[in-house]
Amino acid sequence: MNFPKDLKYNKEHLWVKVEGNAACIGITDYAQDQLGEILYVDLPKVGQEFAKGDLFSEVESAKVNSELRMPFSGVVVEVNEELDDSPERINEAPYDAWIAKFEIKNPDELNDLISAEEYEESLK
């Protein structure tokens, strides 16, 4: 399994790539492996605002539907529309197939995210 060190993670198997006051969110290599073939991603709408813990997306796979909850508060500034037609991109390249990009509303909430090493340790 691959866990890039330049990303942050949470124990709900999301990765976060922070770029200034914005961040992209996707699901980890471990998560896509556990889900199996991804069939559909419910993308949020640009402009939607979410609080930490809010449901922002759902991923449907051959095995299960999985709810994705916000690891921080933010507003959607962009969605990865490629996933509408090709949700399997998450299986092929989970760290390139981000789901949405958010403007970060409360940067202090990022302190709750963990490093690649801590995430990998949490899987054991």
Side-chain angles (χ1 to χ4, degrees), residues 1-4 7-17 24-36 38 56 59 66 68 89-99 113-116 118-120 122-123:
M1 298 251 150
N2 178 25
F3 307 110
L7 303 176
K8 295 289 188 183
Y9 301 83
N10 72 5
K11 292 184 179 172
E12 288 75 46
H13 313 294
L14 296 177
W15 60 261
V16 177
K17 182 175 186 177
C24 290
I25 298 177
I27 65 170
T28 66
D29 193 12
Y30 174 83
Q32 70 78 25
D33 183 64
Q34 295 298 302
L35 288 169
I38 294 176
F56 76 93
V59 174
S66 185
L68 306 183
R89 289 279 301 129
I90 292 174
N91 294 118
E92 296 164 1
Y95 300 110
D96 293 330
W98 52 277
I99 294 169
L113 298 174
I114 57 178
S115 69
E118 291 168 313
Y119 178 69
E120 196 166 1
S122 77
L123 298 177

Side-chain angles (χ1 to χ4, degrees), residues 34-63:
Q34 295 298 302
L35 288 169
E37 181 186 358
I38 294 176
L39 305 172
Y40 174 75
V41 179
D42 182 27
L43 298 172
K45 305 275 185 269
V46 172
Q48 270 187 293
E49 186 165 349
F50 296 94
K52 181 178 177 178
D54 284 355
L55 174 69
F56 76 93
S57 179
E58 288 187 65
V59 174
E60 181 181 322
S61 75
K63 294 180 182 178

